[in-house]
């Protein structure tokens, strides 16, 4: 599985750690929210980055108290049609101010990449059926957006009504 981070293929320095498996003393480790909550003091005392796996059916509010202690939050997508992870990403970025790495994991397809990025994800464990290098083109394929998002691109309506598009007779178009 390829890792795409900041729109480039990247080496993954993080390891997913299942519950019950010892957490290595060095290197980035991603643990479940439940494990984090049970072992918070020990995990935050490691001298290495720590990340949390936040399932899409778990409210993002559950991380608010610890959000500044986390280096990475991984949001799993188990199915293409499950959009809850998009909402989770926007909440983490816009409402709770998470500035660390926000990673989409699981069933991540090429056609989702640009939309996931607009919601705040900056890394992706890409499992699509196309070559990961070719999938990078997906980030630049959408020129016009209809809603604002975490990327702060202007919507089509805002662009249409922008004063720079005004004609000399005072109308815009």
């Amino acid at each position: 599985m390829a890792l795409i981070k900041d729109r480039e293929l990247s080496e993954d320095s993080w390891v997913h750690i299942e519950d019950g498996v010892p957490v290595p003393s060095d290197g980035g480790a991603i643990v479940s929210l439940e494990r984090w909550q049970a072992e918070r003091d020990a995990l935050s005392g490691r001298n290495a980055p720590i990340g949390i796996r936040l399932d899409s059916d778990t409210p993002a509010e559950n991380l608010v108290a610890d959000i500044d202690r986390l280096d990475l939050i991984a949001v799993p997508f188990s199915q293409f049609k499950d959009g809850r992870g998009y909402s989770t990403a926007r909440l983490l970025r816009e409402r709770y101010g998470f500035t660390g790495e926000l990673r989409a994991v699981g069933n991540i397809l090429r056609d989702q990449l640009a939309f996931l990025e607009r919601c705040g994800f900056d890394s992706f464990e890409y499992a699509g059926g196309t070559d990961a290098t070719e999938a990078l083109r997906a980030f630049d394929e959408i020129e016009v957006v209809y809603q604002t998002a975490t990327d702060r691109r202007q919507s089509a309506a805002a662009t249409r009504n922008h004063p720079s598009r005004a004609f000399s007779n005072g109308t815009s178009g």
Side-chain angles (χ1 to χ4, degrees):
M1 181 172 311
L3 178 68
I4 299 172
K5 183 175 180 183
D6 298 325
R7 293 182 167 213
E8 296 179 358
L9 294 178
S10 179
E11 292 293 320
D12 194 355
S13 61
W14 292 83
V15 177
H16 289 271
I17 308 295
E18 296 299 321
D19 291 345
V21 174
V23 177
S25 59
D26 59 348
I30 302 170
V31 299
S32 70
L33 175 62
E34 295 77 20
R35 186 167 190 174
W36 167 256
Q37 291 172 333
E39 302 174 24
R40 177 179 291 115
D41 292 338
L43 291 171
S44 61
R46 291 175 68 237
N47 195 19
I50 189 75
I52 300 297
R53 189 173 41 258
L54 181 66
D55 291 330
S56 59
D57 61 348
T58 303
E61 293 80 14
N62 290 2
L63 283 180
V64 172
D66 297 320
I67 209 158
D68 293 335
R69 300 166 118 183
L70 303 173
D71 299 292
L72 178 148
I73 299 174
V75 179
F77 287 79
S78 59
Q79 303 177 49
F80 172 76
K81 63 184 180 182
D82 186 357
R84 294 176 292 182
Y86 293 87
S87 301
T88 298
R90 288 198 68 174
L91 287 170
L92 289 169
R93 292 289 194 211
E94 294 176 344
R95 185 175 296 172
Y96 305 121
F98 180 67
T99 58
E101 182 177 339
L102 188 55
R103 182 180 291 196
V105 302
N107 188 23
I108 306 302
L109 306 176
R110 180 191 188 283
D111 291 348
Q112 294 174 289
L113 293 174
F115 297 107
L116 290 165
E117 182 185 53
R118 294 203 69 228
C119 290
F121 288 100
D122 56 0
S123 70
F124 314 87
E125 291 183 2
Y126 180 67
T130 59
D131 177 68
T133 303
E134 192 283 326
L136 295 174
R137 294 182 9 201
F139 290 109
D140 296 319
E141 291 179 342
I142 299 172
E143 295 179 15
V144 178
V145 296
Y146 293 94
Q147 297 174 318
T148 59
T150 61
D151 62 2
R152 305 289 180 223
R153 288 172 57 186
Q154 280 197 326
S155 69
T159 301
R160 183 178 46 239
N161 297 324
H162 193 273
S164 68
R165 293 185 48 105
F167 298 116
S168 59
N169 67 1
T171 62
S172 61

